[in-house]
Amino acid sequence: MSSRVSNYSERRTNGTSDNDANPRPRATGHNHNPRGSQPDPRTTRSPQSAFINPAHKRTASGNPRPASKSFEERRTERTTVTTKEKLMSRTRSAERRSKEAPAPEKWKPKEPVKSRQSDTKPREPKPEPPPATWDPVASLTPHTSAPLAIRVSIPPLASEAPLSLQPQPLHELSLEAQEAAIIEDLLFVFMGYEGQYIRYSFSYDPNEERDRLAGPEFKILPGLDPSLQDLTASMLKMATHYSALETFVDVQSREEFGAVNHALCAAIRKYLQDYLIMVAQLETQFLTNDTFTLHLLNVHTLPTSQMMFQLYSLAHEFLKRNALLDDESSEDSDPDDIENILENLKRGGDLVPGNMTGKKVCKGGVVIGLITMRLETMSGDPAARSLLISLLRDASRPYMAMLNEWLHHGEIRDPHSEFLVKEQKSIRRDRLEQDYTDDYWDRRYTIREHDIPPQLQGVKDKVLLAGKYLNVVRECGGVDVGEVAQDVPKSFDDPRFLDNVNNAYAHANESLMKLLLTTHALPTRLRSLKHYFFLDPSDYFTYFMELSASELRKPVKSVNIVKLQSLLDLVLRQPGSIVSMDPFKEDVHIEMNEVGLIKMLQRVVNITGIEQGEALQPLSNQPIENDKNAVGFTSLQLDYTVPFPVSLVISRKTVWRYQALFRYLLSLRYLESQLSTTWQTHNTGVVWCHKSSVRRIEIWKRRVWTLRARMVVFVQQLLYFCTLEVIEPNWQSLMSRLKAKDGSIDGSGKPDRTVDELMQDHVDFLDTCLKGCMLTNGKLIRIHSKLMQTCTVFAAHMNWLSRELEKSDPDLIGPIKPPNMTDKEWKRFQTVKSQKSHNDSGNSTLQDEEARLNHLFEIIKNWEKNFSRHLQILLDALNHYAATETVVLLSLCARLATANQGTEYAGLRPEEDAAA
């Protein structure tokens, strides 16, 4: 102990130089002393020994020689180092190996090597250039995206130093000298440097980032006393953890790792700073406290060692998730990064930032989730729990800033794509006019399902909707972006955290609902849609059909849409109609859809699945088979334009549903008008009103009238069912939900509905109407199409049937007036007949009246068969679907059954057929 006390002045003197310099250059003095002063242990206490050797206790323990010549030799050696003649060490070593140079007499024969060195110094300064290769120089590495990363170049390994710089072997030192040397080495190793006796293991490569992230393994040179070996080895783990954490902080601070990782690294950097302060305090104890031993050093480092172990374990989890410790990533790259890569390329950046090519970066909510999971695992350790809570609080600050910005302003400031809400900047508001899949609302802002912090897992939908709602209000000028939200929680452990999310969600929902229902008059918009697309009331549209009948009878390609639009505007402004008071009548437009209604519905029904983002309607990238026989009546449809933000509720997807229902109702009304025209022909035409003397002709007329009446019943009952039993009840239900006040249902006063629920209610209303009108079932659509086609053909051929009936009735062929026809009817009939005579060649394929009449019976029989057969198939299908899917179809079955009453599957009862 006496020798250790004598050297504390040496420790104080050399304390700063030890910290600033590489430990290997300090080994120079050790290399010269041991061989010259080995025999006499620990007898010198000269104060000048502070200049002899930078190693404090090792000098006191192992090199106590008091000789003045030894002091002069050390002074000479320091002079040599100061003049930077470093090659003399290598020269001395080479000459010692060759043993050719004689020893000068002015030096002691006890140190022949040093005599030869001093002798050869002036003689051969340049003959051996290769030994000059050992010249370690510190340099600065290039900048990285981590602004605080260490840029000092990696020092060379101690194992690569020349033999002249190697320290005295441990087995040649006493136990006390070994302890002093190991303590000094540990102080440097704690800071990540190699010592003289504690060095990196051979498997560690400091130039490899993966090795630096895992931390260096240290080895102790042989010869250390076993009592010191175990204590030293137990403390080396802390040095490994510190070196690994230092590299981890440098790597995770790069730009591509995101703000949460940057905040985490800043928090870890504070702990590393405290760690270095502890090392400086230990060094002070080592230099000033005579009783400071290796055991005391171990005791002082135990709490810090536990802290460093927790930090290292947490960092190791991140590195494994980032695949920085493996050769290849276990997870695929995030497809969400495509948007960021495109944005980066637009700004002229690299394809993949940094050196993270092909790697999945653990950032944002994943980082918070890993810290939270680690906190749950270590909840039984108070020290680790306190440490992890502090890290979680610091790391979550930037995430909470993004969350509060999203909740209170509807904006995403997320340059590193780490927030749980992802923004697709390529989907813009100007695409709403062509958006048939609600891309803007459904895909503009979405949730990153794999990047959600556990604290937000239960309220993720509220977070998404709150920001989406505020974003809409902000785009309409309803949010002051410059206003800073006051008194908001800054961390997840704040007790007001969940209240902040719920209150922001309620405020955003209330703001957008007020904007839609009051400012933009959504209920009035919906009533306007009902007037135009559901023909309620239909007086204006009946007038429009009469005005435009001549134009709508033309083929679809010949229809003048501009003329139709002018006629519609004229009708809508007609005083006395309900629609004339509609404030939104300017938004209604005429369109022509060359694809028939049935084909359009079948194309949608036959779609079994679509990829995300693929448009449902129109399918412009697929060939469309237009209806060649389409006319204006069958192709007419309306369009409706709405401004933002009402276009979120009345989107192109919903407008398409309105158009499908409108075309279906229009087809029923048009068919009803055709059958009404047929009824007028039957009641005003002389051919049909005249009671023929031939009984078979009267039976045939009765069958035609019956079939026409059955078709009228079918169309009218279908139209009544769709309008009054499907559309109207669902419409009233939708309006009642719109008018319901907050808290009116359960008395809580909280919002009973959200904007998303309102939008979903609107879509559900339309889907229910489509399903109730049998427009979503492929089988029902096909049966309905055949029935409609049969009715249309029947109405279209009524003029031809009148001519054939005229030719078949013998009472109407001759010039003599039948006895059961009045003079007025006969005169009118002769007038019509004379007008047709020049167009009637009189040569028919069936000249015989009996054959002609038989042909008419065959035609009406086929029509009756087709209509009755398909109607029965429809009734069977309706009964099936009413029992399995839609109960409301039962009432339609009961109504349509009257149209098939008194008929068999073939159409006629056997006795009537036999009588005919």
Side-chain angles (χ1 to χ4, degrees):
M1 291 298 296
S2 60
S3 63
R4 291 179 57 192
V5 173
S6 68
N7 286 282
Y8 285 155
S9 60
E10 301 173 14
R11 302 181 200 129
R12 296 191 203 97
T13 307
N14 295 287
T16 50
S17 63
D18 289 345
N19 289 335
D20 296 337
N22 193 304
R24 280 186 296 277
R26 292 199 309 274
T28 308
H30 286 296
N31 208 40
H32 303 310
N33 287 334
R35 307 181 192 281
S37 55
Q38 239 172 352
D40 194 11
R42 298 192 299 276
T43 55
T44 297
R45 294 175 183 240
S46 171
Q48 295 175 335
S49 62
F51 303 96
I52 297 172
N53 195 336
H56 311 293
K57 296 198 175 186
R58 282 197 295 274
T59 304
S61 304
N63 302 310
R65 191 172 181 84
S68 61
K69 286 186 180 181
S70 176
F71 170 73
E72 291 173 2
E73 290 168 2
R74 294 179 188 118
R75 297 284 298 183
T76 304
E77 186 64 21
R78 282 191 65 82
T79 305
T80 305
V81 172
T82 7
T83 53
K84 298 185 179 179
E85 296 183 5
K86 296 185 180 181
L87 62 104
M88 66 182 185
S89 303
R90 301 297 297 267
T91 304
R92 180 187 59 192
S93 177
E95 289 182 358
R96 213 166 28 192
R97 274 187 240 109
S98 60
K99 298 182 181 179
E100 294 175 357
E105 293 180 357
K106 62 178 182 177
W107 297 100
K108 291 172 43 175
K110 190 177 180 179
E111 296 178 354
V113 175
K114 297 191 177 181
S115 303
R116 281 197 298 268
Q117 176 189 357
S118 60
D119 204 26
T120 54
K121 237 167 39 169
R123 270 186 254 155
E124 298 182 7
K126 301 180 182 180
E128 302 262 356
T133 53
W134 175 254
D135 188 16
V137 177
S139 61
L140 292 179
T141 58
H143 282 284
T144 65
S145 57
L148 299 181
I150 297 176
R151 295 183 56 213
V152 180
S153 59
I154 299 173
L157 297 175
S159 59
E160 298 174 357
L163 291 176
S164 60
L165 299 180
Q166 299 299 330
Q168 183 180 0
L170 283 171
H171 64 82
E172 298 179 6
L173 301 178
S174 66
L175 180 62
E176 187 178 357
Q178 285 185 4
E179 183 180 22
I182 287 299
I183 291 177
E184 184 185 17
D185 265 15
L186 281 174
L187 291 175
F188 284 98
V189 170
F190 284 165
M191 294 186 292
Y193 303 106
E194 287 185 287
Q196 294 190 356
Y197 298 101
I198 303 176
R199 301 180 178 179
Y200 297 143
S201 64
F202 294 112
S203 60
Y204 174 72
D205 183 4
N207 296 307
E208 184 68 34
E209 185 180 84
R210 187 179 290 110
D211 287 356
R212 296 202 308 274
L213 287 170
E217 292 290 335
F218 292 97
K219 62 171 184 172
I220 305 173
L221 294 186
L224 184 64
D225 189 270
S227 62
L228 304 176
Q229 179 90 20
D230 293 340
L231 272 179
T232 304
S234 65
M235 286 185 282
L236 289 180
K237 280 292 181 184
M238 186 174 71
T240 300
H241 297 162
Y242 171 77
S243 299
L245 285 170
E246 196 174 39
T247 307
F248 170 81
V249 168
D250 288 347
V251 171
Q252 295 282 117
S253 297
R254 293 172 187 164
E255 182 182 5
E256 61 267 18
F257 284 91
V260 175
N261 271 317
H262 297 167
L264 175 65
C265 290
I268 294 178
R269 194 178 281 114
K270 291 179 183 177
Y271 287 103
L272 296 184
Q273 185 67 26
D274 294 341
Y275 169 85
L276 291 177
I277 292 174
M278 182 208 69
V279 173
Q281 292 172 345
L282 291 176
E283 184 183 25
T284 303
Q285 289 290 317
F286 171 62
L287 294 175
T288 59
N289 189 356
D290 188 29
T291 61
F292 192 76
T293 62
L294 188 64
H295 178 72
L296 282 178
L297 177 66
N298 181 49
V299 171
H300 285 313
T301 57
L302 278 178
T304 307
S305 176
Q306 289 298 318
M307 178 195 74
M308 299 297 286
F309 172 72
Q310 293 297 334
L311 291 175
Y312 176 80
S313 301
L314 181 65
H316 199 70
E317 290 292 329
F318 291 133
L319 295 176
K320 286 196 299 184
R321 187 67 66 95
N322 285 335
L324 290 176
L325 296 179
D326 304 323
D327 292 333
E328 58 183 16
S329 174
S330 60
E331 299 182 36
D332 296 330
S333 59
D334 190 357
D336 296 344
D337 290 339
I338 295 176
E339 290 288 331
N340 300 326
I341 292 174
L342 293 177
E343 291 294 327
N344 194 37
L345 289 176
K346 290 178 182 177
R347 294 193 299 265
D350 297 330
L351 183 63
V352 180
N355 61 350
M356 298 302 297
T357 307
K359 298 293 184 182
K360 165 87 172 162
V361 179
C362 171
K363 57 186 178 181
V366 180
V367 174
I368 296 174
L370 286 176
I371 300 177
T372 306
M373 182 174 64
R374 185 82 183 167
L375 179 59
E376 293 173 355
T377 306
M378 305 302 297
S379 58
D381 186 345
R385 187 173 183 275
S386 175
L387 170 68
L388 292 171
I389 288 177
S390 176
L391 289 177
L392 179 61
R393 184 180 296 114
D394 292 337
S396 61
R397 289 186 189 279
Y399 199 92
M400 287 297 296
M402 287 186 283
L403 178 63
N404 289 323
E405 182 69 21
W406 173 248
L407 288 176
H408 298 286
H409 292 119
E411 280 189 308
I412 292 181
R413 296 180 183 178
D414 184 19
H416 305 290
S417 302
E418 51 190 333
F419 190 49
L420 82 158
V421 178
K422 177 183 65 174
E423 179 182 10
Q424 295 279 9
K425 296 182 179 179
S426 59
I427 302 177
R428 291 182 290 273
R429 200 176 84 183
D430 52 9
R431 292 179 51 186
L432 279 173
E433 296 180 359
Q434 294 86 28
D435 181 13
Y436 283 86
T437 55
D438 282 352
D439 268 358
Y440 180 80
W441 186 254
D442 294 339
R443 297 182 58 225
R444 171 70 187 268
Y445 297 105
T446 53
I447 292 180
R448 293 184 173 96
E449 293 293 343
H450 302 292
D451 298 340
I452 304 175
Q455 295 85 350
L456 292 173
Q457 190 70 41
V459 292
K460 60 180 181 180
D461 293 327
K462 287 188 176 181
V463 170
L464 173 66
L465 294 178
K468 284 171 69 173
Y469 296 165
L470 268 190
N471 183 268
V472 174
V473 178
R474 179 176 57 83
E475 290 194 12
C476 297
V479 175
D480 184 6
V481 182
E483 181 184 355
V484 179
Q486 301 293 333
D487 195 27
V488 292
K490 299 293 194 304
S491 61
F492 287 120
D493 57 354
D494 193 311
R496 302 168 300 163
F497 164 66
L498 288 178
D499 290 338
N500 179 49
V501 174
N502 292 327
N503 293 337
Y505 170 71
H507 170 71
N509 180 63
E510 182 183 358
S511 301
L512 185 54
M513 287 291 284
K514 183 179 179 181
L515 182 71
L516 290 173
L517 298 179
T518 306
T519 308
H520 290 273
L522 179 61
T524 309
R525 285 272 183 189
L526 294 177
R527 277 191 289 270
S528 174
L529 284 168
K530 185 188 179 189
H531 290 327
Y532 300 125
F533 288 92
F534 297 156
L535 307 179
D536 177 37
S538 61
D539 56 345
Y540 80 95
F541 201 76
T542 305
Y543 185 33
F544 168 74
M545 296 279 282
E546 292 175 359
L547 292 178
S548 58
S550 60
E551 194 70 29
L552 292 176
R553 290 193 187 98
K554 298 178 181 178
V556 63
K557 294 185 180 296
S558 304
V559 175
N560 189 340
I561 299 179
V562 177
K563 181 178 179 181
L564 291 178
Q565 184 65 48
S566 300
L567 292 174
L568 180 63
D569 293 339
L570 180 64
V571 171
L572 294 181
R573 287 163 178 78
Q574 187 74 22
S577 63
I578 295 180
V579 292
S580 63
M581 307 299 294
D582 183 13
F584 307 116
K585 54 180 173 288
E586 300 288 343
D587 297 329
V588 185
H589 306 287
I590 293 289
E591 284 185 351
M592 285 292 161
N593 193 340
E594 297 184 12
V595 182
L597 171 65
I598 302 302
K599 288 183 180 178
M600 181 182 74
L601 293 173
Q602 284 178 338
R603 289 176 65 227
V604 175
V605 168
N606 292 334
I607 293 177
T608 56
I610 57 175
E611 296 294 332
Q612 184 179 8
E614 183 182 348
L616 175 64
Q617 170 68 25
L619 299 177
S620 56
N621 58 342
Q622 296 184 8
I624 299 177
E625 183 181 352
N626 297 333
D627 189 355
K628 298 179 181 178
N629 299 323
V631 295
F633 281 110
T634 59
S635 300
L636 176 67
Q637 74 179 21
L638 299 179
D639 194 16
Y640 195 84
T641 57
V642 289
F644 186 84
V646 184
S647 55
L648 296 175
V649 180
I650 308 175
S651 62
R652 295 308 305 172
K653 182 170 70 173
T654 58
V655 169
W656 185 90
R657 288 168 165 81
Y658 276 111
Q659 290 174 339
L661 287 167
F662 168 77
R663 294 189 68 184
Y664 178 65
L665 295 177
L666 176 61
S667 66
L668 291 178
R669 288 198 176 274
Y670 176 58
L671 182 56
E672 184 188 21
S673 67
Q674 287 181 300
L675 293 174
S676 299
T677 304
T678 302
W679 174 82
Q680 290 178 352
T681 302
H682 290 171
N683 284 277
T684 58
V686 177
V687 178
W688 298 97
C689 296
H690 163 66
K691 186 176 182 180
S692 176
S693 58
V694 181
R695 185 172 180 271
R696 289 191 65 196
I697 292 180
E698 289 301 315
I699 292 176
W700 182 84
K701 286 182 184 179
R702 194 179 305 123
R703 291 175 64 175
V704 173
W705 294 336
T706 304
L707 181 58
R708 182 255 302 157
R710 291 170 60 201
M711 289 181 175
V712 170
V713 169
F714 165 74
V715 174
Q716 289 181 342
Q717 292 297 339
L718 202 54
L719 190 58
Y720 173 85
F721 170 78
C722 292
T723 54
L724 293 180
E725 294 194 12
V726 175
I727 295 177
E728 190 61 29
N730 288 290
W731 169 263
Q732 294 300 333
S733 174
L734 176 65
M735 287 296 104
S736 64
R737 289 189 62 83
L738 274 180
K739 294 176 183 177
K741 296 182 179 179
D742 291 343
S744 61
I745 296 179
D746 56 3
S748 62
K750 296 181 180 179
D752 294 326
R753 66 201 182 284
T754 65
V755 176
D756 266 67
E757 290 175 353
L758 172 63
M759 297 166 61
Q760 191 59 46
D761 286 343
H762 187 220
V763 174
D764 290 345
F765 156 70
L766 293 171
D767 287 342
T768 305
C769 292
L770 286 171
K771 189 173 184 180
C773 295
M774 304 168 291
L775 301 182
T776 59
N777 188 297
K779 182 178 180 181
L780 294 178
I781 290 175
R782 287 192 298 271
I783 301 171
H784 178 269
S785 170
K786 292 177 180 178
L787 283 168
M788 296 280 287
Q789 187 177 6
T790 302
C791 296
T792 304
V793 171
F794 174 80
H797 285 75
M798 194 48 56
N799 290 332
W800 179 83
L801 286 178
S802 299
R803 294 194 298 269
E804 291 297 314
L805 177 59
E806 180 184 339
K807 297 175 184 177
S808 303
D809 192 347
D811 296 343
L812 303 177
I813 295 178
I816 304 172
K817 181 178 75 70
N820 53 358
M821 183 181 293
T822 63
D823 294 338
K824 186 177 180 180
E825 290 176 348
W826 176 250
K827 186 176 181 180
R828 188 180 59 178
F829 173 71
Q830 291 296 328
T831 304
V832 174
K833 186 176 180 181
S834 63
Q835 292 175 356
K836 297 179 180 178
S837 59
H838 64 280
N839 294 326
D840 190 2
S841 59
N843 297 323
S844 176
T845 55
L846 298 175
Q847 297 294 336
D848 184 46
E849 295 178 5
E850 188 68 24
R852 188 189 301 274
L853 193 56
N854 290 335
H855 180 59
L856 291 178
F857 270 101
E858 187 68 27
I859 292 175
I860 195 63
K861 181 180 179 180
N862 290 334
W863 277 339
E864 288 173 336
K865 178 182 178 181
N866 286 335
F867 182 77
S868 300
R869 177 174 174 269
H870 290 119
L871 182 57
Q872 190 60 45
I873 294 175
L874 178 64
L875 291 173
D876 294 341
L878 289 178
N879 278 310
H880 170 72
Y881 290 116
T884 56
E885 295 181 10
T886 313
V887 183
V888 73
L889 295 177
L890 280 175
S891 62
L892 180 62
C893 290
R895 295 178 183 278
L896 294 183
T898 59
N900 225 13
Q901 201 168 11
T903 63
E904 296 294 334
Y905 179 78
L908 284 177
R909 288 178 296 180
E911 57 268 22
E912 285 193 17
D913 195 24

